[in-house]
């Protein structure tokens, strides 16, 4: 749909109508994942994501994939930004920093409380907390910057996704593949290439803005994190995947309706901590759509003194 055919909203949308529009017209992935806006206030959003087995990152522990938390926080922060505005302008994530406080308890829903604490003419600043039973005991915390008036689209004026066309989040079995223990990575269709890069094929379920269409920023973040985990573990010959500590994602270009590719390099390696940098691109490796810098904690080798 072109921007010229998108129905326009009033110059200022009444707040209750704005909140209802956000509830019904979220990103495609947000809608498919089951993310809900539970409560709202000006510039403030409380959301929840029901637990689903497909969100698991490691079936041996049952812990959710970090990318699921990243995608939820990205979208929840976006809700808070929209609730601080008037509903007439498109927004886009510029950068998102995630600090993982502890693994999510398997089987429990994830909740998030996001606050847009400042807006300028062009930029919105947000902080968010993801938790399960208590906000005082977070699973992860995030800070983000969003661009206001990022493009000419307006998702809040577009029609809600037709329920008959909603894709499903399914993880095909692949017992011998590199993601045998990661349903969410299999759900995204991520595969490892012979040259060590990874590919995330484009699919309708990873769309954020359906009007452009553009890949959900959280999905790009999930892809970068997966690339880093696989690449670092392979480079170091680690028996177990490293544990994410923190991740900062910089969004450089819109992820279009194309396959995405990514690689990772180790910036610094310590005895327990590894710093890495990952980058994702589409049709031109010299024009990345996003980069990520972060730290992993290496898991002790069985039988070592650190166990």
């Amino acid at each position: 749909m072109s921007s010229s055919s998108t129905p326009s909203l009033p110059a200022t949308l009444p707040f209750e109508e704005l909140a209802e529009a956000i509830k019904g017209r979220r990103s495609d992935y947000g809608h498919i994942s089951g993310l809900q806006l539970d409560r709202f206030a000006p510039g403030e959003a409380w959301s929840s994501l029901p637990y689903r087995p497909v969100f698991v990152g490691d079936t041996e522990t049952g812990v959710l994939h970090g990318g699921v938390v990243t995608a939820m926080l990205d979208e929840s922060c976006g809700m808070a930004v929209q609730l601080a505005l008037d509903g007439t302008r498109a927004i886009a994530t510029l950068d998102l920093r995630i600090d993982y406080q502890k693994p999510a308890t398997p089987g429990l829903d994830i909740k998030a409380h996001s606050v847009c604490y400042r807006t300028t003419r062009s930029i919105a600043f947000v902080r968010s907390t993801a938790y399960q039973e208590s906000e005082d005991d977070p699973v992860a915390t995030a800070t983000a910057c969003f661009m206001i008036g990022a493009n000419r689209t307006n998702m809040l004026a577009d029609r809600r996704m037709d329920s008959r066309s909603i894709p499903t989040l399914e993880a095909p079995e692949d017992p011998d593949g590199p993601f045998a223990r990661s349903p969410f990575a299999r759900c995204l269709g991520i595969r490892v290439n012979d040259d060590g890069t990874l590919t995330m094929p484009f699919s309708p379920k990873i769309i954020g803005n359906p009007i452009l269409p553009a890949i959900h920023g959280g999905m790009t973040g999930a892809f970068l994190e997966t690339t880093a985990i696989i690449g670092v573990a392979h480079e170091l010959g680690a028996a177990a995947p490293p544990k994410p500590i923190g991740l900062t994602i910089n969004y450089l270009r819109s992820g279009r309706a194309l396959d995405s590719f990514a690689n990772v390099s180790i910036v610094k390696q310590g005895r327990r901590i590894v710093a890495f940098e990952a980058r994702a691109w589409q049709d031109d490796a010299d024009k990345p759509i996003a980069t990520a810098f972060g730290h992993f904690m290496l898991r002790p080798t069985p039988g070592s003194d650190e166990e």
Side-chain angles (χ1 to χ4, degrees):
M1 181 184 298
S2 67
S3 58
S4 61
S5 62
T6 303
S8 59
L9 290 176
T12 302
L13 196 65
F15 184 72
E16 293 292 331
E17 291 184 28
L18 172 65
E20 288 302 315
I22 293 170
K23 283 183 178 182
R25 298 164 187 167
R26 301 183 309 282
S27 74
D28 282 11
Y29 169 77
H31 190 73
I32 296 164
S33 69
L35 180 66
Q36 298 291 329
L37 175 61
D38 299 323
R39 288 196 294 140
F40 51 86
E44 204 163 358
W46 290 262
S47 58
S48 60
L49 181 71
Y51 173 86
R52 298 171 66 176
V54 74
F55 292 151
V56 170
D58 186 344
T59 51
E60 286 199 2
T61 63
V63 172
L64 296 186
H65 192 291
V68 173
V69 179
T70 298
M72 180 193 186
L73 286 170
D74 179 43
E75 180 123 358
S76 298
C77 285
M79 289 179 179
V81 172
Q82 290 286 25
L83 287 165
L85 303 175
D86 58 12
T88 64
R89 289 167 287 178
I91 61 172
T93 317
L94 289 176
D95 62 59
L96 175 68
R97 175 179 172 82
I98 308 288
D99 289 304
Y100 296 104
Q101 311 291 325
K102 67 172 188 175
T105 302
L108 296 183
D109 296 351
I110 297 280
K111 302 173 185 177
H113 178 198
S114 302
V115 179
C116 179
Y117 59 91
R118 176 171 169 77
T119 60
T120 68
R121 291 181 59 185
S122 302
I123 306 295
F125 301 88
V126 201
R127 53 177 174 258
S128 185
T129 301
Y131 59 99
Q132 291 181 295
E133 295 182 303
S134 170
E135 191 173 343
D136 294 328
D137 186 22
V139 169
T141 55
T143 56
C145 292
F146 282 73
M147 182 177 180
I148 300 171
N151 52 64
R152 295 180 180 276
T153 66
N154 190 338
M155 287 172 55
L156 298 184
D158 191 27
R159 291 178 301 148
R160 179 172 178 165
M161 179 190 293
D162 188 331
S163 60
R164 294 170 297 178
S165 65
I166 296 177
T168 56
L169 295 179
E170 297 177 345
E173 293 297 325
D174 185 14
D176 300 319
F179 303 110
R181 291 166 41 182
S182 181
F184 191 65
R186 299 200 309 273
C187 172
L188 299 183
I190 298 174
R191 61 180 183 269
V192 181
N193 304 315
D194 293 339
D195 62 358
T197 62
L198 272 68
T199 298
M200 181 174 69
F202 176 78
S203 67
K205 63 191 171 189
I206 66 171
I207 290 175
N209 186 329
I211 306 173
L212 291 175
I215 296 174
H216 193 291
M219 296 296 94
T220 300
F223 180 42
L224 285 166
E225 183 173 321
T226 300
T227 298
I229 290 172
I230 291 292
V232 168
H234 181 266
E235 181 74 17
L236 300 181
K243 179 182 177 182
I245 299 173
L247 182 71
T248 299
I249 306 163
N250 293 301
Y251 295 94
L252 307 175
R253 294 174 177 83
S254 178
R256 295 171 291 157
L258 300 170
D259 292 355
S260 300
F261 308 91
N263 60 14
V264 64
S265 59
I266 293 176
V267 177
K268 183 179 180 181
Q269 177 188 347
R271 188 165 58 93
R272 292 184 298 167
I273 306 297
V274 173
F276 66 86
E277 185 171 10
R279 58 196 299 274
W281 68 92
Q282 294 187 310
D283 51 358
D284 188 343
D286 292 328
K287 295 181 179 180
I289 60 172
T291 61
F293 179 85
H295 292 88
F296 287 146
M297 180 175 288
L298 299 177
R299 300 178 190 271
T301 302
S304 71
D305 294 338
E306 293 185 50
E307 274 197 295

